[in-house]
């Protein structure tokens, strides 16, 4: 399809710059539309509109700039929407309970190419652009990798000129802020909207009503057909808030539509008329509760009723919006709907959209079951994000019967028809029927949402090669036998705009100087770096850039942890959600091992290093919280011992989030990707580090395997059991035998068990010690320790040869092109969405 022309990027300079941009917008056909005002005029207006005391009020200046940048986007935003509403290309809806967007300002300036102009506009105010950028609150509407993937995908979709709308929830409170108290995690509410959100536009014209509770009823219509209604519902109003998603230098502005729950007027009126004022107000609050807070669980479900309400609220509001848009153009003729629409489900979280689409098509638009099913099963595509059993969503039938009775009818009908297919495929096999049923029978029957998603979707994808392989050979094996054509792999990626161009400007400049600017939208250009691995001058500059970024990171660590990181030492970093499968514990045990060496003077072989750990634990995940406490206690001992100081520093960075990662990944030498093989579906942190020239120490897990394939074993510190070895050992795992074979691990455990790190808190780490010694430890900490230690020795020795390290670093960046989310989205476009 044709591209919308970039008016904001055209306005200022028509000569040299425009030519370069024309390359990116080569197929531009639509006439440009001018923004209402120049950026500087907009800015002046917002500043003077604003407030009496402007000087020094960074928050005000930030808002003025952000509002001005948004205004610059309005004409193209409008144009994009107009163009897309003609359905000349297939429309994609990306449904996700999470969008971990982070800050928007620097990304918007980069993608619109107005960074320099903004700096000029700010000049009279004697304020640095960076100072204003830091005023922005992260939009932390997600937990970790899954939510951040959605954000990277939106950037790539806009940049690839695809008509993709993100649909999510406008949580009043995003991911909690993490503080530390005596080394324990403390959660604080994230009031990210407290200073307003300059990017959002409330669009009441797109309000829709979402029903809950009530009863499912059937009746026979005038034509003698059985029809269903959902009666006596309690309705909630869904209000759309739109955020602009600018493509890179191409004039497309896509939309992230976030729904906020409000009480309906009707709802209030009914109650008021009965004279029950307080009840009415209380119910208003009940409605607004739905979008109040993000559930802070990563890779585990919590089964709360409010969570299902959020899922249905998002699914129903988004589908009604999609159908309204369709009907506005085509009337209630759905013949071509599946040709021109596709919905990508980010995990099973929005999978209740499946019965909801059936309901809307049948009950609202009068389609038959067969027509509705054909449309549904041709438009739904499901992405699986994890194999961990604790993360697989199952909702009690009882809860559905109460909250979503009409949808339960539909799910039962889907299941009955689908089990016929199963019965045909496996004649007489009743066990198979029970195993594969969408309904898990038992004293408390449950709906298996992943099964529902597979049955109704035309595409089921995993997020890395190994992950997809494990899905088809394990968790979803039966489904793979039934429908092999549905299954496919889409290895995750990250956007090079945010994770290289924006977060590592020095490296970006160097890359552009050497390779031209094409890498920003085609990251395979980075391959060309391999021709320069003997260019001593470049290698020197490469390491200077790394030094600079390490200084920046050291600044953050000093500010947030009060620990002094020395940029001449190796920076060894693990940041991600705290989870046992990610094995932060293995890392901490290794720090204890290094500490023990340094403290007893066994320092000959030690390479000085600074170890950084960061990440949030789900508030209800006791073991994860205890691991944070252990890290902080060990850090205290490490950092207060003068014998250790020249060799080792250790810090736990509180409140790891997107903005922190933008400083962390450019300043890292060694990236820790050390999950138990078979447990990390893909990982995306691993890719951000690689792009920024970090070397990885990692297991054969998730996308690590593909990273290793791209960069080669000589440029990667591989260790540990592989996924099939982990499964093989499991039945007869004997941690003690591994402890006996590793003097280092024996010493570490002895030190831990002596209470050395918890002298005033006796016994607090016993559960951790027990987990390592437990023959049922699913994470195999003891089994992998020695292999990990050896890989760490190799990394430490390699770091001593800075020239060689620089070469390996450059090779990692060079090989990272495949992990651009542009590549991933290109595959979604061609192989799933078929836009
Ligand atoms: C990239 C990212 C993640 C995902 O990290 P993994 O190491 O893949 O788990 C989580 N949180 C934030 C803030 C990120 O930027």
């Amino acid at each position: 399809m044709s591209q919308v022309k970039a008016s904001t990027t055209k306005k200022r300079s028509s000569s040299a710059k425009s030519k370069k941009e024309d390359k990116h917008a080569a197929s531009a056909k639509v006439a440009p539309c001018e923004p209402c005002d120049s950026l500087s005029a907009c800015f002046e207006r917002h500043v003077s509109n604003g407030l009496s005391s402007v000087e020094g009020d960074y928050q005000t200046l930030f808002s003025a700039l952000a509002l001005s940048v948004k205004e610059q986007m309005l004409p193209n935003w409008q144009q994009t929407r107009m163009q897309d509403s003609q359905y000349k290309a297939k429309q994609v809806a990306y449904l996700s309970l999470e969008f971990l967007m982070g800050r928007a300002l620097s990304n918007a300036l980069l993608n619109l190419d107005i960074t320099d102009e903004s700096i000029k506009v700010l000049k009279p105010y004697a304020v640095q652009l960076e100072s204003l950028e830091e005023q922005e609150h992260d939009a932390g509407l997600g937990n970790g990798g899954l939510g951040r993937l959605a954000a990277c995908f939106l950037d790539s979709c806009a940049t690839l000129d695809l008509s993709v709308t993100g649909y999510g929830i406008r949580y009043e409170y995003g991911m909690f802020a993490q503080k530390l108290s005596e080394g324990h995690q403390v959660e604080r509410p994230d009031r990210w909207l407290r200073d307003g959100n300059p990017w959002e536009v409330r669009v009441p014209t797109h309000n829709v009503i979402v029903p809950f509770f009530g009863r499912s009823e059937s009746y026979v219509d005038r034509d003698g057909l059985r029809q269903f209604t959902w009666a006596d519902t309690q309705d909630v109003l869904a209000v759309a808030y739109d955020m602009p998603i600018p493509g890179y230098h191409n004039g497309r502005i896509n939309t992230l539509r976030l729904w906020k729950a409000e009480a309906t007027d009707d709802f209030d009126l009914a109650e008021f008329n009965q004279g029950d004022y307080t009840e009415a107000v209380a119910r208003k609050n009940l409605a607004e509760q739905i979008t109040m807070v993000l559930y802070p669980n990563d890779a585990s479900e919590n089964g709360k009723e409010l969570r299902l309400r959020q899922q249905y609220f998002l699914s129903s509001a988004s589908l009604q919006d999609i159908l309204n848009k369709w009907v506005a153009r085509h009337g209630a003729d759905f013949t071509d709907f599946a040709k021109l629409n596709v919905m990508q489900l980010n995990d099973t979280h929005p999978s209740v959209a499946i019965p909801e689409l059936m309901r809307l098509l049948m009950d609202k638009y009068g389609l038959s079951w067969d027509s509705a099913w054909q449309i549904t099963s041709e438009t739904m595509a499901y992405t699986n994000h994890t194999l961990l059993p604790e993360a697989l969503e199952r909702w009690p039938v009882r809860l559905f019967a109460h909250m979503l009775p009409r949808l339960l009818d539909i799910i039962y009908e889907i299941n009955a028809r689908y089990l016929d297919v199963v019965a045909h495929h496996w004649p007489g096999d009743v066990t198979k029927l029970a195993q594969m049923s969408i309904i898990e029978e038992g004293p408390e029957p449950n709906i298996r949402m992943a099964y529902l998603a597979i049955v109704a979707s035309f595409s089921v994808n995993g997020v890395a090669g190994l992950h997809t392989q494990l899905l088809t050979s394990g968790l979803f094996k039966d489904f793979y036998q039934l429908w092999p054509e549905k299954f496919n792999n889409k290895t995750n990626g990250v956007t090079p705009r945010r994770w290289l161009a924006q977060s590592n400007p020095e490296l970006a400049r160097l890359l552009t100087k050497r390779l031209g600017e094409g890498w920003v939208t085609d990251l395979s250009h980075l391959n060309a770096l391999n021709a320069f691995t003997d260019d001593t001058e470049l290698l020197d500059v490469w390491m200077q850039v790394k030094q600079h970024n390490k200084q920046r990171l050291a600044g953050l660590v000093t500010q947030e942890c009060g620990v002094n990181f020395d940029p001449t030492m190796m920076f060894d970093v693990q940041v991600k959600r705290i989870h046992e499968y990610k094995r932060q514990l293995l890392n901490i045990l290794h720090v204890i091992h290094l500490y023990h060496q340094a403290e007893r003077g066994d320092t000959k072989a030690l390479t000085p290093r600074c170890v950084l750990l960061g990440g949030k634990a789900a508030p209800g995940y006791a073991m994860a919280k205890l691991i944070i406490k252990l890290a902080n206690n060990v850090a205290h001992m490490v950092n207060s011992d003068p014998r250790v100081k020249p060799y080792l520093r250790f810090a736990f960075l509180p409140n790891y989030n997107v903005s922190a990662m933008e400083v962390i990944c450019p300043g890292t030498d060694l990236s820790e990707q050390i999950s138990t093989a078979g447990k990390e579906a893909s990982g995306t942190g691993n890719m951000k580090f690689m792009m920024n020239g970090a070397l990885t120490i990692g297991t054969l897990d998730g996308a690590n395997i593909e990273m290793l394939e791209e960069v080669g074993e000589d440029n990667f510190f591989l260790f540990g059991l592989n996924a099939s070895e982990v499964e093989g050992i499991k039945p007869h795992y004997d941690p003690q035998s591994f402890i006996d074979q590793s003097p280092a691990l024996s010493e570490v455990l002895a030190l831990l068990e002596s209470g050395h790190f918890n002298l005033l808190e006796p016994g607090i780490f016993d559960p951790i010690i027990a987990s390592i010694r437990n023959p049922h430890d699913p994470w195999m900490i003891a089994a992998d320790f020695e292999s990990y230690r050896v890989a760490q020795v190799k990394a430490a020795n390699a770091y001593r040869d800075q020239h060689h390290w620089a070469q390996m670093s450059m090779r990692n960046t060079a090989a990272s092109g495949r992990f651009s989310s542009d590549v991933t989205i290109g595959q979604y476009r061609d192989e799933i969405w078929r836009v």
Side-chain angles (χ1 to χ4, degrees):
M1 71 171 272
S2 66
Q3 278 182 298
V4 182
K5 201 152 187 175
S7 64
T8 52
T9 62
K10 294 278 154 181
K11 211 174 174 215
R12 287 161 301 107
S13 55
S14 52
S15 56
K17 201 147 218 171
S18 299
K19 266 184 208 140
K20 277 183 276 172
E21 286 155 5
D22 277 341
K23 226 174 19 190
H24 295 299
S27 60
K29 282 186 194 100
V30 179
C33 45
E34 294 299 321
C36 352
D37 260 324
S38 72
L39 183 71
S40 90
C42 271
F43 184 70
E44 301 297 336
R45 180 160 49 80
H46 282 296
V47 168
S48 55
N49 264 3
L51 310 119
S52 38
S53 73
V54 161
E55 237 129 292
D57 186 348
Y58 282 12
Q59 184 61 42
T60 304
L61 290 176
F62 159 72
S63 294
L65 182 56
L67 287 168
S68 310
V69 172
K70 180 176 67 180
E71 268 175 45
Q72 295 294 296
M73 287 191 264
L74 290 178
N76 278 352
W77 200 359
Q78 175 78 9
Q79 180 118 20
T80 302
R81 210 168 269 180
M82 293 263 288
Q83 186 179 293
D84 291 351
S85 71
Q86 296 170 22
Y87 288 93
K88 291 199 174 133
K90 201 185 244 187
Q91 310 287 297
V92 182
Y94 195 84
L95 270 55
S96 180
L97 269 284
E98 303 188 14
F99 287 90
L100 189 46
M101 303 298 287
R103 291 173 175 152
L105 179 57
S106 12
N107 187 248
L109 297 184
L110 173 74
N111 283 12
L112 301 170
D113 198 14
I114 53 174
T115 305
D116 293 345
E117 193 180 352
S118 302
I119 290 169
K120 250 187 242 150
V121 163
L122 292 178
K123 224 178 197 142
Y125 295 82
V127 53
Q128 296 287 308
L129 177 57
E130 294 89 82
S131 314
L132 295 196
E133 287 171 345
E134 279 172 21
Q135 291 300 305
E136 185 172 1
H137 302 291
D138 271 45
L141 309 182
N143 275 282
L146 175 149
R148 184 53 230 175
L149 184 76
C152 283
F153 278 6
L154 291 185
D155 182 74
S156 285
C157 288
T159 296
L160 290 178
D161 199 29
L162 301 176
S163 173
V164 177
T165 303
Y167 281 103
I169 290 179
R170 182 179 176 276
Y171 300 107
E172 205 76 31
Y173 294 85
M175 189 59 210
F176 66 80
Q178 179 192 54
K179 301 252 153 115
L180 294 174
S181 163
E182 313 267 290
H184 292 280
Q185 168 174 298
V186 177
E187 301 91 20
R188 289 272 160 257
D190 166 43
R191 291 178 48 218
W192 70 293
L193 293 167
R194 66 182 174 276
D195 295 308
N197 177 2
W199 303 109
E200 70 184 12
V201 179
R202 185 180 159 109
V203 205
T205 46
H206 289 271
N207 285 0
V208 293
I209 285 172
V210 179
F212 288 92
F213 307 110
R215 289 164 292 113
S216 174
E217 287 181 348
S218 76
Y219 63 96
V220 177
D221 70 9
R222 276 174 301 179
D223 306 326
L225 295 170
R226 182 156 296 281
Q227 301 287 359
F228 291 83
T229 55
W230 188 353
D232 294 336
T233 53
Q234 296 180 29
D235 296 342
V236 176
L237 188 67
V239 183
Y241 284 75
D242 288 354
M243 310 257 276
I245 308 291
Y248 180 80
H249 295 194
N250 69 359
R252 171 172 282 275
I253 313 285
N254 278 340
T255 298
L256 170 58
R257 178 158 288 174
L258 300 177
W259 298 104
K260 175 179 191 283
E262 294 185 3
T264 58
D265 290 346
D266 283 357
F267 199 175
D268 283 351
L269 264 182
E271 300 284 345
F272 278 113
N273 290 344
Q274 285 159 28
D276 201 341
Y277 169 78
T278 46
E279 184 70 5
V281 175
R283 288 203 181 238
K284 183 174 155 66
N285 280 324
L286 233 52
E288 293 183 348
Q289 265 178 32
I290 295 175
T291 53
M292 199 54 71
V293 61
L294 166 76
Y295 276 98
N297 306 306
D298 186 65
S300 83
E301 66 145 2
N302 72 349
K304 289 287 198 297
E305 176 176 336
L306 182 59
R307 169 71 171 180
L308 180 59
R309 278 210 264 169
Q310 292 182 337
Q311 296 184 346
Y312 179 62
F313 176 76
L314 165 67
S315 303
S316 180
S318 308
L319 287 172
Q320 290 186 57
D321 193 53
I322 292 162
L323 292 175
N324 286 345
K325 185 174 155 192
W326 176 264
V327 169
R329 173 105 192 152
H330 302 88
D333 176 0
F334 292 92
T335 321
D336 291 332
F337 184 83
K339 249 183 255 159
L340 292 169
N341 287 278
V342 58
M343 286 128 212
Q344 191 70 44
L345 307 177
N346 198 21
D347 213 314
T348 55
H349 310 157
S351 59
V352 66
I354 289 161
E356 176 64 0
L357 181 56
M358 291 295 291
R359 179 186 78 86
L360 291 167
L361 291 174
M362 294 190 298
D363 298 1
K364 184 168 178 192
Y365 293 105
L367 270 62
S368 67
W369 177 279
D370 289 337
S371 308
W373 179 251
Q374 186 166 358
I375 288 172
T376 302
S377 59
E378 286 176 4
T379 51
M380 293 289 174
Y382 157 52
T383 304
N384 173 280
H385 281 271
T386 178
L387 298 149
L388 299 181
E390 62 267 35
L392 296 178
E393 291 193 299
R394 297 170 318 154
W395 288 109
V397 166
R398 188 183 36 80
L399 186 53
F400 258 76
H402 176 58
M403 188 194 300
L404 307 169
R406 177 66 186 117
L407 296 201
L408 184 58
D409 293 344
I410 293 170
I411 291 171
Y412 277 144
E413 182 69 24
I414 291 173
N415 197 37
R417 290 171 185 244
Y418 144 71
L419 287 180
D420 271 354
V421 178
V422 175
H424 265 92
H425 201 269
W426 286 278
D429 192 342
V430 263
T431 336
K432 215 41 133 198
L433 284 178
Q435 261 174 26
M436 294 181 72
S437 174
I438 294 170
I439 309 295
E440 177 186 46
E441 297 296 348
E444 167 81 279
N446 283 305
I447 306 172
R448 296 158 162 157
M449 300 309 279
Y451 290 8
L452 174 63
I454 297 171
V455 169
S457 298
F458 68 90
S459 165
V460 178
N461 76 282
V463 290
L466 173 68
H467 171 60
T468 302
Q469 211 176 301
L470 294 173
L471 281 182
T472 54
S473 67
L475 195 57
F476 299 152
K477 186 165 143 233
D478 293 334
F479 294 90
Y480 182 61
Q481 285 191 15
L482 194 55
W483 298 306
E485 68 284 355
K486 286 192 187 191
F487 289 81
N488 63 94
N489 177 247
K490 297 285 167 282
T491 299
N492 284 166
V494 301
T495 172
R497 267 74 62 191
R498 182 174 297 258
W499 296 114
L500 197 47
Q502 181 190 323
S503 61
N504 200 340
E506 298 227 353
L507 188 58
R509 249 192 304 279
L510 182 59
L511 292 171
T512 298
K513 195 169 138 204
R514 284 290 176 145
L515 313 174
E517 60 184 344
W519 62 269
V520 181
T521 48
D522 180 356
L523 208 62
S524 69
H525 287 203
L526 295 184
N527 270 320
L529 279 174
N530 283 321
F532 299 119
T533 51
D534 288 317
D535 181 332
T536 337
E537 198 189 308
L538 179 61
L539 289 168
D540 278 351
V541 183
W542 190 269
M543 289 313 262
Q544 281 165 23
V545 169
K546 183 57 84 178
Q547 270 306 300
H548 168 92
N549 289 326
K550 287 171 75 172
Q551 255 149 24
R552 191 157 64 117
L553 175 52
L556 180 74
V557 172
T558 302
Q559 184 188 310
E560 300 296 324
C561 319
V563 177
N564 181 24
F565 271 20
D566 176 349
T568 64
M569 296 162 78
M570 180 169 83
F571 280 16
D572 169 353
V573 177
Q574 185 177 25
V575 286
K576 48 184 75 242
R577 287 300 291 258
I578 310 293
H579 201 294
E580 286 165 283
Y581 86 78
K582 291 176 182 277
R583 295 202 296 196
Q584 281 91 358
L585 179 55
L586 188 57
N587 190 346
I588 298 168
L589 296 180
H590 179 250
V591 169
I592 295 174
H593 164 66
L594 295 178
Y595 162 78
H596 190 50
Q597 274 183 290
E599 171 227 42
R600 69 167 179 235
D602 179 11
T603 56
K604 262 219 190 72
L606 286 183
T607 298
R609 75 165 96 194
C610 300
V611 182
L612 184 66
L613 203 61
K616 294 172 184 175
Y621 189 172
M623 189 57 101
K625 289 180 133 177
L626 192 57
I627 289 169
I628 291 175
K629 173 64 175 162
L630 176 63
N632 282 300
N633 281 24
V634 170
H636 177 74
M637 295 301 288
V638 165
N639 300 327
S640 55
D641 190 329
R643 289 167 299 179
V644 176
K645 198 174 175 194
Y647 303 98
L648 184 63
R649 321 265 166 97
F650 184 31
F652 185 90
L653 179 84
N655 204 37
Y656 170 58
N657 61 9
V658 171
S659 290
M661 187 52 157
E662 288 173 22
V663 180
I664 293 166
C665 64
T668 295
D669 294 310
L670 187 64
S671 155
E672 301 266 352
Q673 307 300 334
I674 60 178
S675 52
T676 312
K679 305 300 178 191
E680 185 76 89
S682 163
T684 49
N686 48 3
M687 302 165 183
K688 299 167 201 165
F689 285 113
M690 185 191 196
M691 252 175 220
N692 285 276
L695 275 79
T696 302
I697 181 165
T699 48
L700 285 173
D701 201 14
N704 291 356
I705 295 172
E706 291 153 70
M707 286 164 46
L708 173 60
E709 210 171 276
E710 293 291 310
V711 79
E713 290 222 23
D714 294 344
N715 305 291
F716 190 108
F717 302 104
L718 178 66
F719 76 95
L721 301 169
N722 67 27
S724 66
E725 287 165 346
V726 167
E727 287 310 306
I729 288 181
K730 201 170 258 178
H732 48 88
Y733 178 45
D734 176 17
Q736 190 59 49
S737 72
F738 289 98
I739 296 166
D740 292 340
Q741 286 164 41
S742 169
L745 180 55
S746 302
E747 286 168 4
V748 166
L749 277 176
L751 204 54
L752 200 50
E753 284 169 337
S754 75
H756 183 72
F757 301 104
N758 51 315
L759 292 171
L760 302 176
E761 302 155 302
I764 58 165
F765 297 128
D766 289 358
I768 288 180
I769 296 162
S771 78
I772 300 167
R773 295 189 170 282
N774 185 349
H776 301 293
D777 171 21
W779 321 117
M780 307 251 158
I781 296 277
D784 272 349
F785 181 86
E786 190 57 23
S787 163
Y788 179 54
R789 189 193 61 78
V790 169
Q792 286 284 18
V793 169
K794 285 185 189 151
N797 291 338
Y799 190 75
R800 293 174 170 222
D801 182 348
Q802 281 287 292
H803 176 80
H804 185 226
W805 187 274
Q807 290 179 313
M808 293 194 294
S809 166
M810 204 189 281
R811 284 187 199 118
N812 268 272
T813 300
S816 70
R818 183 174 150 203
F819 306 104
S820 163
S821 47
D822 298 345
V823 174
T824 314
I825 287 300
Q827 293 168 355
Y828 275 84
R829 175 195 59 201
D830 297 340
E831 297 165 17
I832 301 179
W833 302 337
R834 300 179 185 281
V835 174

